[in-house]
Amino acid sequence: MALFGKVVVSLPQTCGAVNNTQWRNMATLKAISMRLKAVKNIQKITKSMKMVSAAKYAKAERELRLARPYGAAAQEFYKAADIKQDDKKPNHLIIAMTSDRGLCGSAHSNIVRAIRAALPTKPPGTNVKIIAIGDKARGILSRLYKDSMLMHFVDIGKRPPVFEDAAKVAQEILKCPFEFDVGEMYYNVFRSVVAYRTTVMPVNTAESIVAGSKLSLYDSVDDEVLRSYREFSLASLVFFSMKESACSEQSQRMTAMDSATKNAGEMIDKLTLKYNRQRQAVITNELVEIISGAAALK
């Protein structure tokens, strides 16, 4: 009588561990592959944005050369007439010149940082109101100084600024019910492709212009002429600051996208190396499993 029994084959304990490790490595390999693909797509986007920003920067720099005489002429007149503002007066107006678009480094945040640094230095009891030109300044300043916000302007930076835009902004500033004694405009001055300077420019009132110590050097200057010139000079200064800020913004965006493209390239190299190492580990584990299975059958 033949006895039939179960044949039990004992596999090495390492076989199950190798199989689990293989599946873990395969899952890790897939995750690295997906991340590598995502970073490559991001690099394509940043590279395209860099090329677009470079073209816009070249145009903005050409337009800035034509707009600088507007600001230089107005500033030279106020300087020659020795027009000054009394910082001890109670009502102060601050104008923040930014735009609606981001991805340009610290171009907008430096404007807000300069305003935050200047406000504590104001004399006690000073009534400060803020006008935000651009959604970036409005978004930050409205959270920090909600009660001090007087008005804001949007749709800035989506297209190159023109004098008509500056004239509308200047008209709204002149029509605002807040009668300020001291005015300041914060904007970025373009210096080079990789550098700009956050600057404060005075916004003079009609009273401070009339009180200029050297205004008598100019002939035939009456109240109507001064009023008309103040309106035109304010529009010119706003236009000048818009062009300076726009050129600074485009140069910083181009620089930021160039840095992002380089960082993405470095990340792609690291992920590719990690992917190849992980893939080699998967192949090695498969070979170990095959060899272990062949050894168990002998």
Side-chain angles (χ1 to χ4, degrees), residues 9-10 290-298:
V9 178
S10 298
I290 293 172
I291 295 172
S292 300
L297 294 177
K298 291 182 179 180

Side-chain angles (χ1 to χ4, degrees), residues 241-256:
S241 61
M242 278 183 170
K243 286 296 186 181
E244 288 279 3
S245 297
C247 189
S248 302
E249 178 185 335
Q250 294 297 342
S251 65
Q252 291 303 304
R253 182 174 291 113
M254 182 181 65
T255 304

Side-chain angles (χ1 to χ4, degrees), residues 29 56 84 100 110 112 134 167 189 208 213 250 253 255 272 278 295:
L29 195 63
K56 290 184 177 181
K84 299 179 180 179
D100 294 356
N110 281 344
V112 178
V189 176
S208 62
S213 61
Q250 294 297 342
R253 182 174 291 113
T255 304
T272 302
Q278 197 70 28

Side-chain angles (χ1 to χ4, degrees), residues 91-93 173 176 178-183 203-205 230:
N91 296 326
H92 288 214
L93 177 67
I173 293 174
C176 72
F178 180 69
E179 296 182 359
F180 59 95
D181 302 311
V182 178
V203 179
N204 297 293
T205 62
R230 177 173 177 255

